[in-house]
Amino acid sequence: MFRLKTLSGRPQHPAIEDLCHSLDRGLIGRRDFLRTAAWLGVSAASAAAFAGRTTVAAAAEAPKRGGSVRFACQIQEMQDPAASTYFEAANVFRNVIEYLTKVDADNVVHPYLAASWDPSADLKTWTFRLQPNVKWSNGDAFTSADVAANFRRWIGPASKSSNKTTFAALRDIEILGPLELRLHLDRPLLALPEMLYAPNTPIMHRDFEKMGGDWSKNPIGTGPYRLAEFQVGQKATLVRRTEYWGEMPYLDEIRFIDLGTDISTHLAALAAQQVDMLYRINVSDLDLAKRLSDVQILTGRAAQTPVMRMQVDQKPFDDIRVRQAVVLACDNSRILDVAIRGAGVIGDNCHVAPFQPEYAPVAAPKRDVEKAKHLLREAGHANGLDLAIAVGNTQGVWEQNTAQVLQQQCAEAGIRVKLDVMPAAQYWPIWNKVPFGLTYWAHRPLAVQTLDLAYRGGAAWNETHFADPAFDAALDNAMGIVDPQARKAAMVSVETILRDAALMVQPFWMNKYTAVASRVRGYALNPSDCFDLHKVWLA
């Protein structure tokens, strides 16, 4: 029998032995093994040793302490981190308030405020043990009461957080001691530790609401920095805490600077040495970025995508034939090539990326203009159809370019699409209200995290208003399967239901790019846009 070291020191989960056999027989890859073992509470070191990690780290520069890094990033409202919908906001507050777990760039989960976790055999009961000797910045001890208070607030009747959907399976929270608690679920959730690193799941002080419910005005945290200055749309300054419980970060200060939404302005500031790091650049900015001196360009794959989605309860999209006609009029490959110069991977209209761990190959329908016309006639639109798609360019003008390609392709099928382009600030309040709109969905390590938020009936961010009990049941099934191969097989039903519902044209998955000054060290591009600057230092 295989014995791996668990984080808690307690007996390993019964599924670990089968997981080890699958790795030995070559049925699963090393990354799937490491990821699944981590979910089940095995220490990263033990899992890596079993999987045969033999890579020897190359000699590196010795990190230097001190200094201030300047980060170009939108400064958004941070009143209630649990209700935040913006990754930019999370990347300010995540250095001050911390999470129970941490997910690295390889999608492997690690302990953070939670020192260990043990799932039951049926994955419905999870016991978490917390790090000892953690103090809040106001001097209070961090305890299981803090964690329990957060879960209760996330799922409470008055919750305005998408966590109400994410943790809807939670039925009871049992405090076992000052540093131990147990979560009872009504269905299995294998990836619960990974779900606890979503941007809006930082652990707040148990008296957050009693203290006023506005974190930006009372920024208590357990993290390595404290919020020293904050102005929406302008700046945020973090200063290192000397009394931090964990390993000290290298930087003395992090200064987030809002330079607006024009990335060419960000690049100009980087070139002029006015900032050191950029939140992101787009493929259209690469030519300019490559001409800059003393600049590093970082790139990687990410499950970030535009979704041109239709609301199934709004006319004319309440007729599936209309939705099918829109989908069949489009060529995802062509949209990828024209809108973002091929800098990504084709999408399958089911919002699951080929490089996400649960992905099962389910191809999107091939373009068929004649069939699209036929469906329109059947639906009573023999003279074609007039539509309007809302576009906010929330991440850049590439969104408008993407919608324009759809517009051109739909025209060939008699679908006349008007582009309703508006500023991002105008789009965000209505992003989930318009019948037809282009929404940017950021990367999440697991596809099921996105599907749970976006397509489950009644979910917090269900912008299509899709509700199908068969889909919900298939998703529940996939979220509770330990074996990676069996989980991928179960995802075929999930993806097929979503694709066949013709909810969206989801044409591509975009590569991720950013640029930083050459003097920046220790920073690795994270596909989830989790800018953890703990290990960053300046040469």
Side-chain angles (χ1 to χ4, degrees):
M1 182 174 179
F2 298 100
R3 291 289 182 188
L4 300 185
K5 183 179 179 181
T6 59
L7 291 164
S8 64
R10 298 194 177 190
Q12 67 184 24
H13 189 277
I16 290 294
E17 185 171 5
D18 286 341
L19 194 68
C20 292
H21 280 300
S22 293
L23 178 68
D24 271 354
R25 293 196 297 266
L27 300 177
I28 61 173
R30 182 176 175 278
R31 182 170 293 184
D32 275 341
F33 172 80
L34 294 175
R35 182 186 297 114
T36 309
W39 287 336
L40 296 174
V42 173
S43 75
S46 179
F50 180 84
R53 175 178 288 171
T54 57
T55 303
V56 178
E61 300 174 81
K64 298 178 183 178
R65 294 197 176 273
S68 174
V69 74
R70 299 157 301 174
F71 197 119
C73 178
Q74 289 186 53
I75 307 302
Q76 298 165 329
E77 181 55 64
M78 300 190 299
Q79 182 174 337
D80 181 359
S84 176
T85 59
Y86 304 113
F87 276 67
E88 290 93 333
N91 282 312
V92 175
F93 63 63
R94 75 168 58 252
N95 293 281
V96 181
I97 42 181
E98 299 177 301
Y99 298 73
L100 286 176
T101 63
K102 181 177 290 189
V103 180
D104 64 23
D106 291 327
N107 201 26
V108 175
V109 66
H110 300 272
Y112 201 0
L113 285 174
S116 68
W117 50 88
D118 286 310
S120 61
D122 63 2
L123 302 176
K124 291 183 179 181
T125 303
W126 291 76
T127 302
F128 286 84
R129 293 163 193 86
L130 308 180
Q131 300 283 3
N133 305 316
V134 177
K135 295 284 187 181
W136 292 96
S137 53
N138 70 346
D140 292 344
F142 166 72
T143 72
S144 53
D146 291 296
V147 179
N150 279 267
F151 276 109
R152 291 185 179 118
R153 195 166 71 86
W154 293 343
I155 65 173
S159 174
K160 296 179 181 179
S161 172
S162 63
N163 292 334
K164 192 171 185 178
T165 295
T166 301
F167 301 107
L170 181 59
R171 286 293 167 263
D172 187 40
I173 307 158
E174 184 182 0
I175 294 180
L176 304 177
L179 296 176
E180 189 172 7
L181 74 160
R182 184 168 292 150
L183 305 181
H184 298 274
L185 313 177
D186 63 9
R187 56 185 168 89
L189 276 182
L190 172 65
L192 181 64
E194 196 152 73
M195 294 159 68
L196 289 167
Y197 196 54
N200 58 343
T201 60
I203 301 301
M204 313 295 291
H205 191 284
R206 55 190 171 275
D207 292 331
F208 169 70
E209 290 185 339
K210 293 180 182 178
M211 295 174 177
D214 188 338
W215 184 79
S216 64
K217 294 179 180 177
N218 191 19
I220 294 172
T222 59
Y225 292 91
R226 62 179 177 84
L227 183 64
E229 187 177 26
F230 175 68
Q231 291 178 277
V232 174
Q234 296 185 45
K235 57 186 175 180
T237 302
L238 311 184
V239 178
R240 187 173 62 190
R241 286 177 59 200
T242 57
E243 72 280 15
Y244 179 55
W245 65 273
E247 183 181 353
M248 279 291 180
Y250 295 118
L251 297 168
D252 291 333
E253 182 184 68
I254 306 170
R255 293 167 54 200
F256 294 93
I257 304 169
D258 195 326
L259 298 175
T261 59
D262 185 352
I263 293 179
S264 63
T265 302
H266 303 185
L267 286 167
L270 184 64
Q273 300 183 0
Q274 295 169 349
V275 297
D276 305 296
M277 305 181 70
L278 304 187
Y279 177 69
R280 72 156 60 92
I281 61 174
N282 295 319
V283 64
S284 57
D285 308 299
L286 280 178
D287 292 340
L288 174 58
K290 290 175 180 177
R291 292 198 297 267
L292 302 181
S293 59
D294 297 322
V295 167
Q296 308 171 61
I297 297 174
L298 308 179
T299 184
R301 294 188 308 183
Q304 54 181 4
T305 182
V307 174
M308 294 178 281
R309 90 300 180 278
M310 299 161 274
Q311 291 185 334
V312 300
D313 56 354
Q314 299 296 314
K315 290 187 179 302
F317 305 116
D318 56 346
D319 189 328
I320 191 173
R321 293 170 297 186
V322 170
R323 304 198 306 271
Q324 289 171 334
V326 171
V327 171
L328 288 169
C330 294
D331 180 346
N332 288 357
S333 177
R334 180 64 178 164
I335 300 176
L336 167 65
D337 289 341
V338 175
I340 60 168
R341 294 158 50 178
V345 176
I346 192 170
D348 293 340
N349 294 352
C350 62
H351 214 149
V352 183
F355 41 82
Q356 287 181 306
E358 321 95 309
Y359 174 77
V362 177
K366 292 183 179 180
R367 189 178 193 225
D368 190 333
V369 173
E370 291 306 314
K371 187 174 181 180
K373 290 178 179 178
H374 174 72
L375 288 167
L376 286 179
R377 287 193 296 269
E378 278 192 352
H381 304 286
N383 297 321
L385 182 62
D386 291 295
L387 302 175
I389 184 169
V391 181
N393 286 338
T394 60
Q395 309 300 313
V397 73
W398 64 263
E399 295 185 10
Q400 185 175 338
N401 297 340
T402 300
Q404 284 175 338
V405 184
L406 173 138
Q407 178 188 49
Q408 294 160 5
Q409 294 183 341
C410 282
E412 296 179 39
I415 304 172
R416 298 172 290 273
V417 181
K418 175 188 173 184
L419 268 58
D420 186 5
V421 181
M422 62 192 76
Q426 184 180 339
Y427 182 78
W428 279 127
I430 63 168
W431 72 276
N432 59 350
K433 298 179 176 64
V434 294
F436 193 19
L438 186 153
T439 302
Y440 166 79
W441 280 84
H443 172 97
R444 284 169 178 79
L446 300 173
V448 294
Q449 291 177 277
T450 304
L451 302 184
D452 195 48
L453 281 172
Y455 305 104
R456 182 184 292 278
W461 291 350
N462 187 334
E463 59 178 337
T464 64
H465 301 173
F466 177 65
D468 183 347
F471 172 81
D472 295 349
L475 183 60
D476 287 343
N477 179 48
M479 293 177 79
I481 297 174
V482 173
D483 179 73
Q485 293 301 108
R487 188 166 60 250
K488 290 177 182 178
M491 284 295 291
V492 172
S493 295
V494 175
E495 296 174 33
T496 301
I497 292 171
L498 211 53
R499 181 201 63 188
D500 291 351
L503 304 176
M504 68 192 110
V505 177
Q506 186 254 315
F508 52 75
W509 302 95
M510 303 169 58
N511 293 345
K512 184 174 289 295
Y513 303 98
T514 194
V516 301
S518 295
R519 70 186 190 123
V520 173
R521 300 285 194 274
Y523 175 65
L525 185 65
N526 188 302
S528 295
D529 281 343
C530 297
F531 290 91
D532 180 358
L533 304 182
H534 205 108
K535 298 292 187 182
V536 170
W537 56 282
L538 299 174

